[in-house]
Amino acid sequence: MEVNLGVSLKLLKNIITIDGPGGVGKGTLAFSLAKKLGWEVLDSGLIYRLIGFIAAEKNLASSKEIIETLEKSSIKLITNIDSYSCEINFNNKILGEELRNEKIAVKASEISKDANIRSAIIKIQRNAYLEDRGLIADGRDMGTVIFPEAALKIFLEASPEIRAERRANQLKEKGMNVIMHDLLLAIKKRDEKDMNRNVSPLRPAKEAIIIDTSKMCISEVEEKVMEIYKKL
Ligand code: DC
């Protein structure tokens, strides 16, 4: 599903969408750009992770139960640009680190196949955009579905092997044990699911600029995006 808001879609220069597969560096790029531009960040994956977490914790089996629970709940995104971190205040409980593990990522990816759940959280995502402050939106369908009016749409790519290596380094930094083979397999499986679902599959928007980050460091990617942004 690619949203077509009509030919007269007014492009907004203060939204940059960054889509791409897991572990490709979207989050780091989003925060570094936001810091540079003084903008906000939307980490849309964290919302899917939250839903995966709630579904597991409350034993919710159907999308109907999940959506009813979401409708009754208060969900506030908390972003701290300086510390490059996002958390969610879910009914006055702050959730962050507990959402960032592979088990929850798999749950999030499973849940994200559901068209009704995806529709139920469009508003939360669009509300992250405040006209007087720009937004860097990070996810899988930011350019295609959530912010089709963004004037700059970036799609990041890198091989699964490179992404697994980057993820492994992050986990090692946190003192966690890493089995490379398992990590690579998990990344490939999640790619497969995210790219092949029927609704809002992971793919670049038609007008997206594709950047292969396999051989680039974050400052090079940031520089490239800023160059393109300045020419808008
Ligand atoms: O970006 P992430 O790894 O935190 O995302 C977790 C999962 O959530 C991802 O595998 C698919 C889903 N997701 C999605 O379907 N659409 C988004 N915009 C963001 C994430």
Side-chain angles (χ1 to χ4, degrees):
M1 173 176 77
E2 182 150 348
V3 170
N4 181 357
L5 297 182
V7 279
S8 59
L9 185 69
K10 186 175 167 276
L11 293 184
L12 295 176
K13 281 194 187 172
N14 64 352
I15 303 179
I16 299 177
T17 60
I18 306 176
D19 290 303
V24 76
K26 301 183 300 284
T28 316
L29 177 64
F31 277 106
S32 67
L33 288 171
K35 209 164 185 175
K36 196 155 207 133
L37 295 163
W39 291 6
E40 257 308 319
V41 165
L42 166 66
D43 174 0
S44 61
L46 200 63
I47 306 172
Y48 287 94
R49 286 170 183 261
L50 170 78
I51 301 171
F53 179 85
I54 302 165
E57 202 182 45
K58 298 189 187 288
N59 226 346
L60 306 175
S62 70
S63 59
K64 187 169 172 274
E65 282 177 293
I66 292 175
I67 291 169
E68 277 169 8
T69 304
L70 293 176
E71 281 169 355
K72 281 189 283 189
S73 302
S74 139
I75 298 176
K76 288 185 200 120
L77 309 177
I78 309 162
T79 310
N80 188 330
I81 305 289
D82 287 328
S83 63
Y84 278 41
S85 73
C86 284
E87 293 176 316
I88 296 190
N89 180 330
F90 178 71
N91 293 334
N92 296 323
K93 188 173 171 194
I94 309 289
L95 296 166
E97 229 14 75
E98 49 277 81
L99 305 178
R100 298 188 192 281
N101 59 64
E102 198 48 38
K103 208 169 140 206
I104 294 293
V106 170
K107 270 250 152 222
S109 180
E110 265 163 33
I111 273 166
S112 68
K113 285 189 298 202
D114 190 295
N116 294 325
I117 295 180
R118 296 197 79 87
S119 300
I121 58 169
I122 288 179
K123 206 166 156 214
I124 304 178
Q125 295 173 84
R126 285 192 64 88
N127 282 348
Y129 172 62
L130 308 168
E131 264 175 57
D132 55 353
R133 187 150 189 227
L135 180 74
I136 314 283
D138 151 359
R140 305 289 188 289
D141 60 345
M142 299 294 101
T144 49
V145 178
I146 305 299
F147 296 109
E149 69 273 56
L152 179 53
K153 300 177 182 180
I154 302 292
F155 191 90
L156 297 185
E157 286 180 341
S159 70
E161 288 74 16
I162 296 268
R163 287 184 279 131
E165 208 179 298
R166 289 179 187 162
R167 208 16 81 80
N169 290 338
Q170 282 172 350
L171 294 173
K172 279 184 201 155
E173 270 171 31
K174 289 185 191 170
M176 289 157 93
N177 266 341
V178 180
I179 303 170
M180 223 20 213
H181 172 267
D182 292 356
L183 203 56
L184 183 58
L185 203 69
I187 281 185
K188 286 184 174 170
K189 266 195 190 161
R190 196 140 69 88
D191 281 358
E192 203 338 87
K193 279 193 191 147
D194 291 349
M195 289 190 287
N196 294 315
R197 63 175 177 237
N198 291 328
V199 272
S200 311
L202 168 65
R203 63 181 167 76
K206 279 191 223 80
E207 60 282 37
I209 292 168
I210 299 177
I211 304 177
D212 186 336
T213 69
S214 299
K215 294 192 180 125
M216 294 169 89
C217 66
I218 182 66
S219 56
E220 289 172 315
V221 184
E222 186 199 297
E223 211 173 292
K224 185 166 179 147
V225 175
M226 282 304 294
E227 244 171 57
I228 304 166
Y229 170 72
K230 282 178 192 157
K231 287 187 194 148
L232 283 182

